[in-house]
Amino acid sequence: CCQNHGMGCPPDMSIQPLPGVGKLVSALQGCATRCELKGVSADCSARVNFASTEEASVKMSPNKCQAAYDLVLQQCLFCSQCPLENTGCAATAIRLFEMHNQTVHA
């Protein structure tokens, strides 16, 4: 479980998740569930929102939110407890679009 899914890892860190697998670092709390990956602990919503704007492979996708969500689920399987519609990703994408338009038309 720990190596492949990041869950049930012992506190003494004698077993670690495989590279690219996030570790569960909180109780399962839906979108507030925290995943630690590459030394960064963030909740599932934050991971989806970050990936939708910062991950190169996601930025090229026509549906950035879905692509970001899929990426996060690959990294942190337990984020499946957080439905995409509850991540706030679409709202973040709309805000970024509006900010971009204000900058372009200013």
Side-chain angles (χ1 to χ4, degrees):
C1 259
C2 178
Q3 288 183 322
N4 295 313
H5 301 295
M7 298 174 68
C9 297
D12 67 1
M13 300 193 310
S14 58
I15 300 173
Q16 290 288 315
L18 295 170
V21 176
K23 181 169 73 171
L24 178 66
V25 291
S26 73
L28 292 174
Q29 304 170 53
C31 293
T33 301
R34 296 190 72 77
C35 174
E36 183 179 299
L37 182 65
K38 298 180 184 174
V40 177
S41 175
D43 66 43
C44 296
S45 290
R47 288 200 170 278
V48 171
N49 284 288
F50 179 84
S52 73
T53 60
E54 301 299 325
E55 288 289 335
S57 62
V58 170
K59 288 166 62 171
M60 294 183 280
S61 172
N63 187 341
K64 291 173 182 47
C65 291
Q66 184 65 56
Y69 185 73
D70 293 344
L71 176 65
V72 169
L73 291 186
Q74 288 174 13
Q75 298 168 335
C76 307
L77 180 65
F78 41 84
C79 282
S80 62
Q81 300 288 312
C82 173
L84 173 57
E85 59 270 14
N86 292 354
T87 64
C89 184
T92 299
I94 291 168
R95 283 195 305 274
L96 290 172
F97 178 76
E98 289 170 349
M99 287 173 26
H100 173 74
N101 277 346
Q102 289 173 354
T103 304
V104 170
H105 299 294

